[in-house]
Amino acid sequence: HLKSPSPNTYRAFGKIFLDEFHITGTPSYTIDFNKQAIEFRSVTGFAHHRGQWSLQQHRLVMNSETDAASFTGHYYLQDAHVQLTMKPLAGDSHHVILRAQGIERYYRFGFEKGQLSIVAKDHDQVRVLASIPFELTFGQEYKVEATALQNKLSLTVDGTVYLQAEDSQYETGMLGVGTLTGGHCRYGTIYVNR
C-alpha cells in the first residue's frame, strides 16, 4: 500500500522495481460472477477457447456449436477442490476442468453423453479413468464438485460421490469449465478450496 501526502488534485507517480516476487501456499478463493464484467469480449478472470461466453443473472453463460472451454487460475495449482453449480440447457457434454496445461492437456470431470466421467485428455489421446451411466436433465441445476488431490481424483454431484480414480499424468494446471460437443450451460459461483 503506497501513500502520498499530496492533495487529491495532485498526482504522485513513481515506479517500484521488484527483483523477486513469490506467492506460496494453497489458494482458497471464490469467483462470484456478480462481481465480474465483460472486457475485450471476455469475462474478467477467464481466458476463453471458442464459444460465446457472457454474464447473465450473476452466472457465467456458455453457448457454443463446437467444443469450447474457459480457463482461470494459474498454471501451477496443484491440489484443488472446485465446487460450482452447473445448469445444462442444451448439449450432452458439460464438465469441470482441472490441472489444465493448455487447451489440449487436462482432466475433465462431468457429464458426457449419458455418462458421468473423469477423463484424462492429452491432445488426441483420451483415457476414461472412471465412468457410470447418468441421465442428464436439461434445465436442472446440479451442484458439481471436482477434486484433484495428489493422484486422487473424484467427482461429486448433488452431494453424492459418484466417481473416484487415480492418475498421475498431470500434477499442476489451471481450472475451468467447458464442453466437447457444443451446447448451452449456465455456471454459478466457483469455490476453489473452500
Side-chain angles (χ1 to χ4, degrees):
H1 181 78
L2 299 176
K3 291 186 177 184
S4 172
S6 61
N8 288 339
T9 57
Y10 298 157
R11 297 281 184 227
F13 294 99
K15 294 181 182 178
I16 296 175
F17 295 96
L18 299 175
D19 184 43
E20 291 185 24
F21 183 75
H22 299 277
I23 298 175
T24 60
T26 301
S28 177
Y29 61 96
T30 301
I31 301 172
D32 181 349
F33 293 112
N34 187 38
K35 297 178 181 178
Q36 303 306 313
I38 301 292
E39 292 182 0
F40 305 106
R41 296 187 332 187
S42 293
V43 175
T44 52
F46 287 82
H48 308 306
H49 173 68
R50 297 191 180 130
Q52 295 177 338
W53 298 85
S54 62
L55 295 169
Q56 298 173 9
Q57 300 171 339
H58 314 301
R59 301 282 189 267
L60 175 66
V61 179
M62 179 273 301
N63 279 298
S64 184
E65 294 182 13
T66 65
D67 64 310
S70 188
F71 300 94
T72 189
H74 63 87
Y75 192 78
Y76 300 103
L77 179 63
Q78 291 177 330
D79 293 342
H81 174 81
V82 174
Q83 176 184 321
L84 71 153
T85 57
M86 190 182 290
K87 185 176 185 178
L89 299 169
D92 59 6
S93 169
H94 301 281
H95 52 267
V96 175
I97 298 168
L98 290 182
R99 295 186 177 169
Q101 299 178 355
I103 61 172
E104 294 287 340
R105 295 171 41 87
Y106 54 76
Y107 293 116
R108 68 176 182 254
F109 304 72
F111 308 102
E112 304 281 345
K113 300 180 182 175
Q115 304 270 319
L116 278 178
S117 65
I118 299 175
V119 174
K121 181 174 182 350
D122 187 354
H123 299 279
D124 292 330
Q125 294 180 338
V126 174
R127 290 185 300 118
V128 177
L129 303 173
S131 69
I132 59 166
F134 188 91
E135 191 64 36
L136 180 66
T137 303
F138 292 133
Q140 180 176 332
E141 189 167 76
Y142 296 94
K143 179 182 173 185
V144 177
E145 298 176 53
T147 305
L149 298 174
Q150 297 175 349
N151 69 335
K152 295 180 183 0
L153 311 172
S154 67
L155 174 62
T156 302
V157 178
D158 292 333
T160 300
V161 178
Y162 281 96
L163 298 173
Q164 294 179 323
E166 290 189 15
D167 192 75
S168 58
Q169 183 170 359
Y170 303 119
E171 294 179 359
T172 65
M174 301 172 286
L175 61 102
V177 292
T179 178
L180 291 179
T181 57
H184 183 190
C185 193
R186 301 170 70 87
Y187 307 95
T189 300
I190 298 174
Y191 300 93
V192 180
N193 293 328
R194 290 266 175 184

